[in-house]
Amino acid sequence: MTGQKVYIETVGCQMNVLDSELVVGALRKHGYALTDSPVDADVLLFNTCSVREHAEEKTFSALGRVRLRKHANPDAVIGVLGCMAQKDQELIRKRAPYVDMIVGTGQLAAVPELVAKVRATREPQLAVSLGRSDAGRNEVEASFVSYDPTRDPTMRPTPFQAFVRIQIGCDKFCTYCVVPSTRGPEQSRPPEHIWHEVRQLVDQGCKEVTLIGQTVNSYVHEAGDRRTRLSDLIAGMHDVTGLERIKFVTNYPKDMTDDLLNAVRELPKVVKYLHVPVQSGCDEVLKRMKRNYTAGYYMDMLARCRELVPGVSVSSDFIVGFCGETEESFQKSMELVRAAKFKNSFIFKYSERGGTKAAERYPDDVPEDVKKRRNNDLLAVQNENSRADHRAQVGTTVEVLVEGPSRMSAKATHITQLTGRSMADHIVVFDGPERLIGHTVRVAIKDASPFTLYGDVLTDDVVGADVSREPSASAPVPARPNKFSLPLV
Ligand code: 5AD
Ligand code: SF4
């Protein structure tokens, strides 16, 4: 079918952003074009997240609004994809009976076929795994290698940055978390597949790859007597010509091994940034969360990261108001965040998730206003640390991969304000010509806010590349047709 348009909205983590990219790539092969307007679309897809209730409500309100589209265009196909599809098929059918297809995280490769079936039969289509045991490891592996890895650059964060999945699922079973049931068992992809995909991406002009997995540093692949760890995987792609940066997220504290930290230090293309969520500073809370470490263990691990990788930036996640979190236990998170000096932290209020061990075992007993207050208190301390961390960069010169115009430069001026990230993951804003987009430049840092560094680009100083002075076709301003979370209809 030609001339058909697909609209996709994505909520949630990088896994979902990548899944959406792959789904759109598959649909393009069937003649679909991407549209950023739900009004034009023949197929409307919602790639969903279940990690917190707020994300689910966002999807339900988007589905409420899309109902109007169904009135205007009864032939439009509406699909719910991803984690909520996996976890809440019944609820979706009840709250949004006009949804035509519900497709779980392991079945996304079938989206084009399911759309065709809806069109042919007008029957609703359901494709989900029945449970973790049902999503056996072989089936899971097949579901992601059967994806055509020819990627769709227009769906990426920018044309020169890409996510590469190296592992799916999670076996850690933190008691608050739905991921082990929505994404299935942990499985590491064969290294050859990953290296092949990275080479393909670099051939398409990609300069930075972010390797993603729920616990990316638990990556290990065994074949015969060969064992490939994350450090080996990174070393094996490091010398691909044209690849400039390698990142990996998200790390599990217990799996932060010295071989990996040594690789981060020794390999110049590896970004000196580690996201290692601690979740809480209180040992009893960590135990109820089943994180398998104490606050003391985490702080020792952090010291090891900083010792083995001088200058490394570390960021974290926290959950406040988890079941049974007393004021005293919360104060331990405050102490930890004060002492840890993270570059930044993502702080979440605990959201009870049906089907998790925490929902089964412990009452959600911290009132909402207390969760909110603890969130603000922790954030205030983190912001002070973020300010100090950013101020400490003033006077240094950093290498920035230029991602695009900054949000502030939307107004037409002769000079464009550009933005990108340093090798330690700091956001850097500076004035410069658009032809620098997609290149790595050196920027002298002059000023800092808690979240941004400001500086001057060192003129004509493009690292490791020859930049044409013409408005560059090789480095277009990235089109972002579908933002990661858009208002609907
Ligand atoms: N409630 C609140 N935050 C959660 N996270 C995961 N599950 C929950 C939940 N039920 C947070 C954790 C994790 C991040 C991705 O989301 O901090 O690291
Ligand atoms: Fe969820 Fe814990 Fe697995 Fe992270 S490590 S995805 S928080 S179960």
Side-chain angles (χ1 to χ4, degrees):
M1 195 164 305
T2 52
Q4 298 284 303
K5 290 189 181 146
V6 57
Y7 170 82
I8 190 163
E9 235 184 81
T10 307
V11 184
C13 63
Q14 288 108 334
M15 279 288 168
N16 276 11
V17 174
L18 175 57
D19 280 337
S20 292
E21 183 188 321
L22 294 170
V23 165
V24 170
L27 284 169
R28 276 187 197 276
K29 296 222 159 60
H30 287 74
Y32 283 86
L34 186 64
T35 172
D36 60 359
S37 159
V39 179
D40 290 344
D42 306 284
V43 176
L44 296 98
L45 301 176
F46 298 87
N47 195 3
T48 61
C49 171
S50 296
V51 119
R52 282 171 291 276
E53 189 181 355
H54 177 69
E56 295 186 343
E57 281 312 317
K58 228 161 130 178
T59 295
F60 277 121
S61 65
L63 286 173
R65 275 169 281 149
V66 88
R67 180 181 209 149
L68 301 173
R69 285 303 314 141
K70 197 72 177 172
H71 285 307
N73 177 6
D75 289 336
V77 177
I78 297 172
V80 175
L81 317 180
C83 292
M84 279 176 75
Q86 192 59 52
K87 177 174 151 283
D88 291 323
Q89 309 110 39
E90 288 310 321
L91 192 62
I92 294 165
R93 282 204 278 207
K94 208 164 117 211
R95 286 185 62 174
Y98 44 87
V99 165
D100 299 294
M101 36 179 241
I102 300 181
V103 188
T105 50
Q107 287 72 30
L108 295 174
V111 164
E113 186 193 322
L114 294 167
V115 171
K117 269 197 194 154
V118 171
R119 296 220 130 127
T121 64
R122 289 320 307 179
E123 294 285 327
Q125 301 293 320
L126 176 71
V128 296
S129 296
L130 298 178
R132 276 176 70 90
S133 52
D134 170 67
R137 286 172 195 262
N138 292 340
E139 182 198 332
V140 172
E141 164 64 359
S143 79
F144 65 53
V145 294
S146 61
Y147 253 109
D148 185 339
T150 312
R151 308 278 294 272
D152 181 346
T154 60
M155 280 293 288
R156 286 195 209 137
T158 71
F160 37 86
Q161 297 174 297
F163 295 125
V164 173
R165 187 175 355 241
I166 67 166
Q167 175 200 58
I168 56 167
C170 182
D171 284 348
K172 304 292 188 207
F173 285 101
C174 302
T175 55
Y176 52 80
C177 185
V178 286
V179 168
S181 59
T182 59
R183 292 266 174 194
E186 178 185 317
Q187 195 187 335
S188 293
R189 274 177 85 184
E192 288 75 17
H193 296 189
I194 298 166
W195 291 326
H196 177 70
E197 189 171 329
V198 168
R199 279 193 298 270
Q200 259 185 334
L201 286 163
V202 171
D203 286 347
Q204 290 174 11
C206 183
K207 296 186 172 178
E208 175 186 286
V209 293
T210 302
L211 310 178
I212 58 174
Q214 304 296 345
T215 56
V216 72
N217 56 337
S218 324
Y219 175 93
V220 61
H221 189 270
E222 298 190 3
D225 54 6
R226 190 190 62 166
R227 190 162 186 270
T228 310
R229 302 162 299 177
L230 179 58
S231 55
D232 307 313
L233 184 77
I234 290 173
M237 68 179 69
H238 187 265
D239 293 334
V240 171
T241 310
L243 181 63
E244 292 182 16
R245 285 187 179 191
I246 303 167
K247 293 190 191 184
F248 54 92
V249 287
T250 283
N251 294 286
Y252 188 68
K254 283 292 284 272
D255 294 331
M256 195 51 93
T257 50
D258 285 357
D259 63 291
L260 180 59
L261 294 172
N262 289 334
V264 174
R265 183 189 62 246
E266 292 299 325
L267 299 172
K269 291 180 183 176
V270 180
V271 166
K272 309 307 177 216
Y273 164 68
L274 302 168
H275 181 229
V276 200
V278 61
Q279 311 297 1
S280 169
C282 169
D283 290 346
E284 284 99 77
V285 171
L286 287 169
K287 194 160 184 199
R288 276 198 298 283
M289 289 178 164
K290 200 173 152 290
R291 290 289 289 180
N292 297 320
Y293 54 82
T294 60
Y297 178 94
Y298 184 93
M299 291 306 285
D300 289 347
M301 182 235 40
L302 189 59
R304 200 158 40 83
C305 292
R306 289 178 171 151
E307 186 194 323
L308 292 182
V309 190
V312 73
S313 278
V314 182
S315 67
S316 183
D317 293 352
F318 285 87
I319 297 177
V320 294
F322 184 62
C323 317
E325 186 190 68
T326 61
E327 200 51 39
E328 201 187 341
S329 30
F330 170 66
Q331 287 308 324
K332 292 185 177 154
S333 292
M334 292 282 276
E335 277 164 35
L336 189 145
V337 85
R338 257 183 221 115
K341 311 242 174 288
F342 297 118
K343 176 176 79 83
N344 62 296
S345 290
F346 301 94
I347 301 169
F348 305 103
K349 290 177 289 173
Y350 172 59
S351 169
E352 185 176 270
R353 311 285 55 220
T356 59
K357 281 281 174 269
E360 218 173 83
R361 288 182 192 162
Y362 314 118
D364 179 11
D365 55 0
V366 178
E368 182 60 26
D369 58 331
V370 175
K371 287 181 184 171
K372 204 173 273 175
R373 201 251 308 144
R374 290 182 185 168
N375 191 331
N376 291 341
D377 287 358
L378 203 57
L379 199 58
V381 179
Q382 175 57 55
N383 285 352
E384 275 318 301
N385 285 347
S386 298
R387 183 188 306 279
D389 173 87
H390 282 71
R391 286 227 62 88
Q393 307 296 319
V394 174
T396 66
T397 295
V398 297
E399 282 190 9
V400 177
L401 176 58
V402 187
E403 295 177 14
S406 87
R407 271 182 280 168
M408 300 304 287
S409 78
K411 294 178 210 95
T413 53
H414 293 300
I415 301 285
T416 307
Q417 203 173 49
L418 298 173
T419 184
R421 286 192 188 247
S422 73
M423 278 297 278
D425 200 56
H426 292 100
I427 296 170
V428 183
V429 169
F430 60 97
D431 289 340
E434 286 196 355
R435 67 186 164 79
L436 295 181
I437 294 168
H439 294 281
T440 299
V441 298
R442 269 186 270 267
V443 177
I445 302 304
K446 297 285 165 64
D447 200 0
S449 74
F451 309 109
T452 312
L453 302 177
Y454 302 91
D456 297 334
V457 63
L458 301 179
T459 317
D460 283 328
D461 182 14
V462 172
V463 182
D466 174 26
V467 190
S468 149
R469 295 206 146 265
E470 299 304 313
S472 167
S474 64
V477 179
R480 299 192 195 194
N482 270 322
K483 310 236 169 37
F484 299 156
S485 177
L486 281 178
L488 230 207
V489 199

